[in-house]
Amino acid sequence: MSISAIESVLQQMRTTAVQTGIAPSTAAPAEAGGFAAELKRSLANISSAQQQAYAQAESFELGKPGVALNDVMVDLQKANVAFQTGLQVRSRLVTAYQEVMNLQA
């Protein structure tokens, strides 16, 4: 896997995050902190989406007013999609790492 493929995956993550409302559309450029910072921000966004969805589900279970089932289900699905995307990125990064380690010197 090349650097351009990794950058493509990161761009897909940014687009998905903006479309689902998980991340603001005015994210800091990747050059500010590099790849590690971008990966850390993406993981933080995934964690935040999961925590928000679980908190809303708990509120619904407790019967708090203003929390609808359809909102809870949509938020849980958004968190699931974000998590699955994170897993795919991790898998591709592991594959890229293994390819680099197997290169002949």
Side-chain angles (χ1 to χ4, degrees):
M1 176 175 271
S2 66
I3 298 295
S4 62
I6 293 172
E7 289 175 357
S8 172
V9 170
L10 280 174
Q11 183 60 36
Q12 289 175 354
M13 286 179 62
R14 285 187 210 110
T15 303
T16 303
V18 169
Q19 289 174 347
T20 59
I22 294 172
S25 59
T26 57
E31 296 84 27
F35 180 77
E38 184 68 26
L39 187 60
K40 188 174 182 177
R41 276 193 296 272
S42 296
L43 291 174
N45 288 339
I46 292 170
S47 178
S48 173
Q50 288 179 330
Q51 289 173 356
Q52 179 184 1
Y54 293 142
Q56 191 169 14
E58 184 179 355
S59 295
F60 179 78
E61 290 172 359
L62 295 174
K64 292 184 179 177
V67 181
L69 178 60
N70 58 336
D71 293 336
V72 172
M73 297 304 293
V74 167
D75 284 349
L76 286 171
Q77 285 301 314
K78 284 181 182 180
N80 186 36
V81 168
F83 180 72
Q84 293 300 323
T85 303
L87 283 178
Q88 290 296 320
V89 170
R90 179 200 52 93
S91 296
R92 290 183 184 189
L93 287 174
V94 168
T95 302
Y97 176 78
Q98 289 172 342
E99 286 180 13
V100 167
M101 295 305 292
N102 289 330
L103 290 176
Q104 296 293 329

